[in-house]
Amino acid sequence: MSKLALVTGATSGIGKAFAERLAADGYDLIIVGRNKDRLEEFAATHTDVKVRTVAANLSTDSGVDTVAEICSGEPLTMLVNNAGVAHYMPLAELPADKARELVHVKVVAPTMLSRAAVAGMRERGEGKIINVAGMIAFSGPADKSVMPRRAVYAGSLAHLVAMSQTLSAELEDTGVQVQVLCPGVVATEFHARQGLDMSVVPRMSAEDVVTAGLRGLELGEVVCAPGVEDTSLLDALFQADLAAFGGQSPELASRYRPN
């Protein structure tokens, strides 16, 4: 039986690198993106596997619904939720349409596509879901000196971390793996589209990010941080999360009680 992967945001950067690697590994592909010409160019240069192109805008309900229908109807071996936009700016200055686009692409789309794919994967007893987030997901406690401002972007990536961790627990012992992939700064077109010059910033290649993600699946990592050498840092973070979660009580904490 052939392996089938659906990759969103597949026309450039990490998404294209995933599509390239998976094609080389013998996966048939469903590649999703806004740029029809780039999708067709990829398909034309990868004739050793079956490549289906889907031009869809995941910032719209209709785009999400179109791809979700494919996710629920096709026997996917792997789903890579990679599509993204940045829109780095303070919340008060973020235009409503850009805020809506960001939340749709990085929160609504991965949630609905995962939901559509997971039932079939669970029924077949195998499947992999990779949600591409970023280390900015862990930057919430940073003070105002940290730039650029990015409240909605950071929040959307944090959603992917929490959703992936919780979904992984829901799917334990089903044969379905879930991973959230959290690279740092990556050398792609992503920042240039936002008008940001990152040329002097050390950046990881998209190919290395993909290598980490696929190896992380083999290692059983739910949170894959390609640039973090000391994984005890992540373990400490998640243990602190669970300690805070477990430290709650139905009684009002003493600091909130009247003196």
Side-chain angles (χ1 to χ4, degrees), residues 67-232:
V67 182
E69 185 174 352
I70 296 169
C71 288
S72 63
E74 296 288 346
L76 296 183
T77 311
M78 182 180 294
L79 168 63
V80 181
N81 284 311
N82 166 76
V85 292
H87 301 329
Y88 295 154
M89 61 184 70
L91 179 59
E93 299 171 18
L94 182 64
D97 60 336
K98 291 185 181 297
R100 188 175 293 110
E101 179 184 26
L102 176 52
V103 172
H104 235 89
V105 172
K106 292 308 291 182
V107 175
V108 176
T111 301
M112 300 309 293
L113 301 192
S114 296
R115 175 190 174 277
V118 75
M121 288 181 173
R122 188 173 56 185
E123 184 176 321
R124 292 186 294 274
E126 65 172 349
K128 296 174 174 61
I129 297 173
I130 298 177
N131 294 313
V132 179
M135 291 304 292
I136 285 176
F138 307 112
S139 68
D143 64 31
K144 67 178 182 179
S145 67
V146 176
M147 298 291 283
R149 304 284 185 246
R150 57 192 185 282
V152 179
Y153 185 72
S156 70
L157 299 192
H159 164 82
L160 288 176
V161 173
M163 183 183 78
S164 299
Q165 290 175 306
T166 309
L167 180 58
S168 177
E170 290 180 6
L171 295 171
E172 189 173 347
D173 299 324
T174 66
V176 182
Q177 283 185 272
V178 181
Q179 178 192 93
V180 59
L181 180 55
C182 299
V185 183
V186 184
T188 69
E189 301 172 9
F190 185 74
H191 296 95
R193 290 175 185 165
Q194 312 302 316
L196 299 173
D197 182 7
M198 305 294 286
S199 59
V200 298
V201 177
R203 295 173 290 170
M204 184 175 288
S205 72
E207 290 75 19
D208 279 352
V209 174
V210 171
T211 295
L214 296 179
R215 177 59 178 152
L217 287 173
E218 294 175 359
L219 295 172
E221 293 182 348
V222 177
V223 179
C224 175
V228 175
E229 182 66 33
D230 183 359
T231 57
S232 69

